Amino acid sequence: MKKLTLFMGHTLLFYFVLLLLMSFQSSIWLQFFSQSPAPSLWITFLVYGAFYRSLGETILLTYLTSFVASVFLNMPLGLLLLCNSLCMLSLLTFKSRFMVTNPSFLALLTLLTNLLFPLAHYLASQFFETNPIHRFEFFSWLISSLITALISVALFQFYMWLDKVTAKAWPTEVGGSAQ
Amino acid sequence: MSVLNFDYKKALILFFLVGLPVISANITHDSHDTHWALAPFSLISQGIQRSYFTLSSGVRGTTRTYLNLVGIKKKNRLLEEKNDELRAQLGALTELKLENQRLNSLLDFQKNSNMDLLAAKVIASGTLPDHSALVIDKGYEHGIQKNMAAITPGGVVGYVIESLPKTSKILLITDRYMVVDALIQRSRSRGILEGYSKHLGHLSHIDSSTDVLIGDLIVTSGLQKVFPKGFPVGQVISVKDGPQKINKEILVKPAIDPYKTEELFIILNPQNESFEPKPDEMETALPLTDAQPNNSESDSPSSGESSPLKDNLNQESSPKQ
């Protein structure tokens, strides 16, 4: 019971952080940087989740992140879930082949995932939407990816600190042993 | 006591001590004439005095300059701080002035309109380039419901897709999920305006025989009962024949840039208003550009009795052929 309460508390805390980040992305960024491409901060959650959560938690994280992000992104939930799942699948595939624990390397992965997301979105849009994407906003996504990757270095440290504070155990592949 | 025994030494001293001041007191000093014997001394002293003055004034000047420099540096820093402060104030005042102008134009529009309009501020926006939405600071507690139109005096912004107690989400005119029943104002041909890209719309269901020119104004048809009739949506910037030449592919630049919108109106009852031009205005209607294709049927003047909406479009866009 205590374990479940801890898990719930931890999950809620993380999604509160995600809500704050997404609000920052949609509101504060607009006030200061107007129309310049905003960072895709939910991607950092996916990347961190892929490496620092168990498989079951990763699936839950993908769903919850998509629910929260769809509110702020105005993207259809199904499409967002599909794109996020594709990104997560790619990250898990990468994880199964490479051992990554360095936040800087995770930032690089964030950059790549952030570039993979619009590609998945574009393809999914061509298949599923009646009025699909006509113009692929490559530069907008590229700038957004770079900004996200830069911010993610600090964010990963913050996520790790949150895990430490809330005594969250990492899967054995990452830390070597459960903490 | 002999006269020869007189002490001359004492007498001389006495003379100098007492006699000379007494004598001097009675000598009048003539300021106009310099004695010839003093002239060389005066000349030399003058030279020396001038040299001393030049030297001392030089030293004093240098010292003063150095001391002033210290003061000037301090003063400069203070002035720079003051300047920065004034710049910040100027920036804030300019921002206030611009806001005031925008709000005035909104107020004028609200006063002259028959519609019930609710003013709202944009507080957030969607961040993906492929999905366009804004969040405003008014919700259903203020009377906003789903599918209500969002406009500015310049043109259509979008419509409400979600209404929460204190905020509402507006789907923008450029979003690919946006659909507006629209008319080409000059030829009265009806079509469906859909979002195309971040800054463009696409007018579909226009058959190839339709009279449409670059620069034509696209207005709302009013059939959806969401937007008032004849309200500007955008301007045609590109006309091409579609596949098999059945339809025309028309790209439309929105009348306003929805991403730059800071304040907007939500229309509570669109049926009370029509922005349709009067018949005499129709003769001088659009296209707005001077450049016309060769098969242009309209030789109408593009100036003269232009409507404010038309003026707005002219200001906001510079259409390409």
Side-chain angles (χ1 to χ4, degrees), chain B residues 51-69:
Chain B
S51 304
Y52 273 164
F53 175 76
T54 310
L55 185 71
S56 67
S57 69
V59 170
R60 202 173 52 195
T62 310
T63 314
R64 190 183 291 160
T65 308
Y66 175 74
L67 290 173
N68 278 351
L69 269 179

Side-chain angles (χ1 to χ4, degrees), chain A residues 106-125:
Chain A
L106 284 182
L108 184 68
L109 270 181
T110 306
L111 177 77
L112 295 176
T113 312
N114 216 337
L115 289 171
L116 179 69
F117 181 86
L119 198 67
H121 182 205
Y122 182 80
L123 292 174
S125 170

Side-chain angles (χ1 to χ4, degrees), chain B residues 37-51:
Chain B
L38 296 178
F41 299 105
S42 296
L43 208 66
I44 293 165
S45 71
Q46 175 188 281
I48 293 169
Q49 275 176 336
R50 278 179 70 89
S51 304

Side-chain angles (χ1 to χ4, degrees), chain A residues 25-27 30-31 35 38-39 42 70-76 79 117 121 125 129 131-135 137 140-141, chain B residues 122-133 161 169 171 175-177 194-200 251 257 259-260:
Chain A
Q25 180 183 322
S26 62
S27 190
L30 171 81
Q31 300 296 324
Q35 290 187 62
W42 82 97
S70 74
V71 174
F72 294 92
L73 299 177
N74 193 44
M75 191 172 164
L79 209 61
F117 181 86
H121 182 205
S125 170
E129 291 187 310
N131 185 14
I133 298 171
H134 299 278
R135 286 183 187 176
E137 304 273 353
S140 187
W141 278 109
Chain B
V122 175
I123 56 167
S125 77
T127 53
L128 293 183
D130 307 311
H131 296 275
S132 321
I161 51 164
K169 197 181 274 182
L171 190 70
D175 189 273
R176 289 175 295 108
Y177 285 78
E194 297 169 311
Y196 183 80
S197 67
K198 197 176 176 185
H199 297 289
L200 292 176
L251 287 183
D257 184 350
Y259 291 96
K260 287 184 182 167

Side-chain angles (χ1 to χ4, degrees), chain A residues 5-63:
Chain A
T5 314
L6 263 174
F7 174 74
M8 290 292 287
H10 180 82
T11 309
L12 282 174
L13 179 69
F14 257 76
Y15 283 93
F16 179 67
V17 171
L18 181 62
L19 269 170
L20 290 181
L21 289 175
M22 293 302 289
S23 302
F24 166 82
Q25 180 183 322
S26 62
S27 190
I28 297 175
W29 193 270
L30 171 81
Q31 300 296 324
F32 287 99
F33 303 103
S34 189
Q35 290 187 62
S36 60
S40 312
L41 297 177
W42 82 97
I43 299 273
T44 61
F45 249 63
L46 296 181
V47 177
Y48 187 76
F51 286 89
Y52 288 87
R53 293 290 180 270
S54 65
L55 188 62
E57 283 175 318
T58 306
I59 295 166
L60 182 70
L61 178 137
T62 309
Y63 272 83

Side-chain angles (χ1 to χ4, degrees), chain B residues 109 150-158 227 231-234 254-256 309 312 316:
Chain B
F109 181 75
I151 60 165
T152 66
V156 172
V157 177
F227 298 101
F231 201 68
V233 177
I256 51 130
L309 306 175
N312 181 60
E316 295 222 354

Side-chain angles (χ1 to χ4, degrees), chain B residues 7 15 46-47 57 62 107 143 160 171 185 229 240 251 308:
Chain B
D7 193 348
F15 172 75
Q46 175 188 281
S57 69
T62 310
L107 201 63
V160 180
L171 190 70
Q185 194 189 47
K229 193 176 180 182
K240 278 186 212 163
L251 287 183

